[in-house]
Amino acid sequence: MGSVVSAGGSVVSVASLVKRYGRTAALRGVSMEVSVGDRLVVVGPNGSGKSTLIKVIVGLTPPTSGVVRVLGHDPLRMPSRVRASLGYLPEKTSVPGGFRVEDYVAYFAECRGCSEGEFIELLGLRRYARSRIRTLSQGFKRRVMLAAALACWPKLIVLDEPYSNVDVGTRAAIDDALSNAPRGVTMVVTTHIEPGFGDYRLAVMMGGRLAELRESVRRGYVILECVDGEVVRTNDMVRATELIRSGRCVLKDAGREGIYEIFRRVAGTARFSSS
């Protein structure tokens, strides 16, 4: 079994984590350390265990076995200690539609001791500040949720598929917002689309197992060459994986150092160690 380890003060510590739903194992002995200021991006196809890992970290579901510590606390036994310094964006967009944008973000900002204005501006929400959330598009609802998660820049930001079902403009707004995170803010992000918010540590998840690939990764694309002569340039890891597995396309150009290993693993041409 691979593990993700980082030097420095630990913000998230997971050891031998197992999560089962009946006979199905969603997590199979995951171990990792995320240190102060780390930006850890976990990639992998749907069903690989990414969202389950996030739910265990933020205390939404108990592990079957293993140890989880977030900011030095057990997120299930001491949830208030963890949540006071945690900004969390769930995978599904769900936000009370009756609230005005500014009021919803202000609630989280006031709980953490700052003003909502900076974070409304950060996500490009100023013109919608007095709008009811239910009147917004899916992408802008996602921005509102992220503004609430980032309010006052908590010590730990955990984002589960932040780019899910959003338009190109919202994706760019999310990347810009995360690029503004102060030094020392720690992030754990799951995604199947490569983020564009600067350097980060990268891990890939497959079949409930986690393995480190690179300590530092910069934004880039991959180029696939397909049997019908089509050339595909993409940073959507799920799409690229499906094309490679189908036999329709092969990886032609990594675009940058490190991406080749990602697709070798995710596409199944390299296996995780069982040890």
Side-chain angles (χ1 to χ4, degrees):
M1 176 204 68
S3 64
V4 176
V5 182
S6 179
S10 179
V11 176
V12 178
S13 178
V14 174
S16 302
L17 186 65
V18 173
K19 177 63 181 180
R20 294 183 179 276
Y21 296 100
R23 294 183 178 180
T24 302
L27 299 175
R28 302 169 180 267
V30 172
S31 297
M32 71 177 190
E33 297 284 336
V34 184
S35 298
V36 174
D38 274 354
R39 295 180 177 186
L40 177 66
V41 175
V42 182
V43 303
N46 295 334
S48 59
K50 303 190 306 294
S51 290
T52 300
L53 176 62
I54 291 297
K55 289 176 181 177
V56 172
I57 288 173
V58 301
L60 290 179
T61 189
T64 302
S65 62
V67 177
V68 182
R69 293 292 181 270
V70 178
L71 298 163
H73 305 292
D74 184 323
L76 285 175
R77 295 183 178 180
M78 306 188 75
S80 60
R81 295 282 184 90
V82 171
R83 291 172 187 170
S85 300
L86 170 69
Y88 169 55
L89 179 74
E91 179 181 10
K92 293 183 178 179
T93 301
S94 177
V95 59
F99 279 83
R100 294 187 304 184
V101 169
E102 61 184 2
D103 294 336
Y104 184 77
V105 180
Y107 171 78
F108 290 88
E110 289 171 5
C111 287
R112 297 174 187 154
C114 72
S115 169
E116 78 281 2
E118 172 189 349
F119 301 93
I120 286 176
E121 294 286 353
L122 194 62
L123 271 299
L125 293 166
R126 175 53 60 197
R127 64 181 293 192
Y128 303 105
R130 299 185 66 81
S131 299
R132 301 289 175 182
I133 295 174
R134 62 171 169 262
T135 68
L136 303 181
S137 68
Q138 184 82 355
F140 275 89
K141 288 177 182 177
R142 199 76 175 151
R143 295 191 198 200
V144 172
M145 292 179 66
L146 183 59
L150 301 185
C152 304
W153 294 113
K155 293 179 181 178
L156 173 62
I157 297 169
V158 179
L159 310 177
D160 193 6
E161 298 286 1
Y163 308 111
S164 178
N165 297 317
V166 300
D167 55 89
V168 173
T170 294
R171 182 183 169 185
I174 291 171
D175 283 337
D176 288 345
L178 297 180
S179 295
N180 279 279
R183 181 174 296 181
V185 171
T186 305
M187 296 185 198
V188 178
V189 181
T190 70
T191 183
H192 64 266
I193 297 176
E194 187 182 10
F197 52 75
D199 291 3
Y200 49 86
R201 298 174 60 222
L202 180 67
V204 65
M205 199 156 196
M206 286 287 289
R209 294 189 174 93
L210 189 67
E212 186 166 41
L213 295 176
R214 290 284 171 178
E215 276 297 313
S216 181
V217 177
R218 285 177 291 279
R219 188 178 184 183
Y221 295 82
V222 297
I223 298 175
L224 306 179
E225 189 175 82
C226 305
V227 293
D228 58 3
E230 181 186 9
V231 176
V232 177
R233 183 176 184 268
T234 183
N235 59 8
D236 185 329
M237 297 184 181
V238 166
R239 184 185 181 208
T241 297
E242 290 172 348
L243 290 171
I244 293 170
R245 282 181 168 169
S246 71
R248 289 174 51 200
C249 304
V250 296
L251 184 62
K252 183 67 175 178
D253 186 3
R256 59 161 171 72
E257 182 184 6
I259 199 74
Y260 184 73
E261 289 91 334
I262 299 170
F263 284 98
R264 283 185 60 230
R265 290 177 185 266
V266 176
T269 56
R271 296 174 179 269
F272 284 94
S273 169
S274 60
S275 59

